[in-house]
Amino acid sequence: MSDMFDYDGFLTKSIQKLKLAGNYREFTDLERYAGKYPKAYDHTNKREITIWCNNDYLGMGQNPEVVLAMKKCADEIGVGAGGTRNIAGTNHPLVVLEEEITSLHKKESALVFTSGYVANSTTLRTLGSMLPDLVILSDECNHASMIEGVRFGKCEKKIFRHNDLKHLEELLTEVEKGRPILIAFESVYSMDGDISPIKDICDLADQYGALTYLDEVHAVGLYGEEGGGIAQREGLEERIDIIQGTMAKGFGVIGGYIATTKVMADFIRSFGHGFIFSTAMNPPTAAACLASVRYVRAHNELREKLHTNVDTFKNMCADVGIPVMRSTQSHIIPIFVGDPVKCRQISNRLMDEYNIFVQHINHPTVPRGTERLRVTPTPLHTEEMMHEMIEALVDVFGEEMLKDGQLILEADSIAAA
């Protein structure tokens, strides 16, 4: 028996390394109050807290119309999808949801997946493995799901520096004429909060005969006249070949999708293993997603209030010297810390002393040395909540960063990292 591999020992040591580096992830047991978001109940410490770190950017997860749609559908249809679409058929709420997404993005067709991760991984993997001699040009900051899809597509890939148009064009010039090309990038990058130069990338795609694949996960619901994302806001939807999005963030439920041409959607539906072999989204979830998309499309005041609150909070941070990273051009507000242990300590103190939940973001989600808090105001955060948050940040940042002689509040170069 002594020759057997020590499985538990290896696992334990690996986890211990994470803990020593300050990158071990712990999950907070929270229960959001329907109708009182961003308030929630912390089950671990038996107290009410305020959420400041969440991807339900508009609070649609507790919208009464969305909740009612899910309840009504469950009562009428049941809660199960019955299996894959091939085996069980497609439940009707899912058909109508795909029609709504198609309309939202002004495309010919849409295909719904169980998550945005699966949508990215499946679509990019399918194209990479099946388009003959395809080369994918991928932004270096693309999400893990896109990286996975490109990797398992096993086609040639070229990584261009983040939002670097000059580097992208250099790589495009290296591709032999006539080869299929796909440029994969995001609109809003979720950790730095910056926005890609979509028009310029589309111009390069046209010049070099490339397809465009745009991940709008952190933008759908939040930008554009109807919440179609950054491409809609900038009038560029027609120039994007494949728009990928989610119902889990701006729409507050769960599920991912692509919106594209009929033939492209049919191709992914017919050859994408992550679609073919996954149980379909269940009817109540599809009904809730449908209700949310329709509501968000019709209520632009949600977006207006969101961006008003974001601007207000950014200005409040600037007034007191909180180091908001200059990269942000969106509703995502990264507050720079630059050290994994301190980042966790700040997050813990905000929770323990001020009942404020804002998660620390450490490696591997962000590069080492760029650890930060990721703050996401919503339309439902009040001015009083904002003042409470600012007072807590000033207190905690001041103490934590002065312990080792680091005055981050005045470190302008660090804040711009």
Side-chain angles (χ1 to χ4, degrees):
M1 297 296 289
S2 59
D3 293 334
M4 289 183 62
F5 184 80
D6 184 5
Y7 299 100
D8 286 349
F10 172 81
L11 302 178
T12 300
K13 287 180 181 178
S14 297
I15 293 171
Q16 188 61 30
K17 287 181 181 178
L18 274 182
K19 291 181 177 180
L20 290 173
N23 294 325
Y24 181 71
R25 299 166 188 259
E26 297 180 44
F27 300 142
T28 305
D29 185 1
L30 299 181
E31 181 178 339
R32 299 196 297 174
Y33 299 131
K36 292 182 64 178
Y37 182 75
K39 293 295 184 180
Y41 187 72
D42 171 14
H43 278 275
T44 302
N45 297 292
K46 312 301 181 187
R47 60 186 172 181
E48 183 175 272
I49 57 98
T50 304
I51 296 174
W52 275 95
C53 183
N54 196 284
N55 287 344
D56 187 356
Y57 296 128
L58 299 175
M60 290 301 296
Q62 297 177 39
N63 180 280
E65 292 188 23
V66 176
V67 173
L68 180 61
M70 178 175 278
K71 289 179 180 178
K72 186 173 183 291
C73 185
D75 287 339
E76 294 176 354
I77 299 178
V79 298
T84 65
R85 295 203 203 184
N86 182 56
I87 291 174
T90 298
N91 63 79
H92 187 63
L94 189 46
V95 173
V96 182
L97 174 60
E98 288 179 338
E99 292 172 350
E100 190 72 23
I101 292 168
T102 301
S103 172
L104 170 66
H105 291 292
K106 299 176 177 59
K107 293 296 184 185
E108 295 179 355
S109 189
L111 202 61
V112 167
F113 299 77
T114 50
S115 72
Y117 193 107
V118 176
N120 268 335
S121 178
T122 298
T123 304
L124 290 169
R125 177 174 182 168
T126 303
L127 293 173
S129 62
M130 296 201 65
L131 276 181
D133 208 23
L134 176 69
V135 56
I136 296 179
L137 280 69
S138 179
D139 189 290
E140 67 177 345
C141 289
N142 279 343
H143 189 262
S145 57
M146 299 174 77
I147 294 170
E148 178 181 282
V150 172
R151 178 182 295 126
F152 287 107
K154 296 183 178 179
C155 66
E156 182 181 355
K157 68 176 183 292
K158 295 176 181 288
I159 310 301
F160 62 93
R161 290 187 291 272
H162 180 50
N163 283 346
D164 189 330
L165 294 168
K166 183 179 179 180
H167 189 218
L168 173 58
E169 184 164 20
E170 287 175 2
L171 296 178
L172 284 167
T173 61
E174 296 173 359
V175 181
E176 300 90 334
K177 291 184 179 180
R179 281 187 69 180
I181 306 169
L182 184 144
I183 303 173
F185 61 111
E186 302 180 33
S187 58
V188 176
Y189 286 85
S190 64
M191 290 300 122
D192 288 346
D194 56 334
I195 295 174
S196 61
I198 299 176
K199 180 184 180 300
D200 295 325
I201 292 175
C202 287
D203 289 343
L204 288 174
D206 290 345
Q207 182 179 346
Y208 291 91
L211 294 173
T212 48
Y213 184 100
L214 178 63
D215 178 319
E216 288 260 37
V217 159
H218 291 275
V220 289
L222 313 177
Y223 300 88
E225 184 180 353
E226 297 182 350
I230 298 294
Q232 183 179 92
R233 184 188 73 175
E234 299 179 4
L236 297 169
E237 285 178 309
E238 291 184 0
R239 301 188 65 186
I240 303 297
D241 295 294
I242 304 171
I243 293 176
Q244 184 269 341
T246 184
M247 279 82 67
K249 295 177 173 61
F251 298 123
V253 192
I254 196 170
Y257 63 82
I258 58 171
T260 183
T261 61
K262 286 183 179 180
V263 67
M264 180 64 77
D266 196 23
F267 182 83
I268 302 302
R269 180 191 71 85
S270 300
F271 295 104
H273 286 194
F275 180 85
I276 296 169
F277 297 106
S278 288
T279 296
M281 177 183 284
N282 64 16
T285 300
C289 289
L290 176 62
S292 184
V293 173
R294 286 177 171 172
Y295 187 96
V296 169
R297 291 184 73 179
H299 289 78
N300 191 52
E301 72 275 7
L302 278 175
R303 284 178 285 282
E304 292 176 348
K305 179 61 174 174
L306 168 71
H307 296 299
T308 295
N309 281 359
V310 167
D311 290 342
T312 298
F313 189 77
K314 285 181 179 178
N315 289 334
M316 292 171 74
C317 286
D319 288 343
V320 296
I322 296 297
V324 171
M325 293 172 63
R326 291 178 181 171
S327 59
T328 184
Q329 302 166 292
S330 68
H331 60 285
I332 295 166
I333 304 177
I335 297 176
F336 187 85
V337 178
D339 178 271
V341 175
K342 282 185 168 53
C343 200
R344 178 185 293 274
Q345 290 170 344
I346 289 172
S347 175
N348 289 344
R349 283 196 60 197
L350 287 170
M351 188 69 158
D352 294 341
E353 298 176 25
Y354 295 93
N355 298 330
I356 288 173
F357 177 71
V358 54
Q359 193 66 298
H360 56 281
I361 308 296
N362 289 355
H363 180 80
T365 305
V366 295
R368 288 185 177 89
T370 70
E371 293 81 7
R372 80 283 304 264
L373 303 178
R374 181 179 181 273
V375 177
T376 52
T378 73
L380 303 177
H381 282 88
T382 65
E383 188 172 341
E384 181 183 1
M385 291 176 186
M386 292 188 208
H387 282 293
E388 290 173 353
M389 177 63 160
I390 291 294
E391 290 174 5
L393 285 171
V394 168
D395 180 27
V396 174
F397 260 77
E399 288 190 26
E400 291 297 333
M401 292 307 172
L402 284 171
K403 283 181 179 177
D404 295 329
Q406 290 180 280
L407 188 55
I408 282 221
L409 296 184
E410 295 181 2
D412 196 51
S413 60
I414 296 177

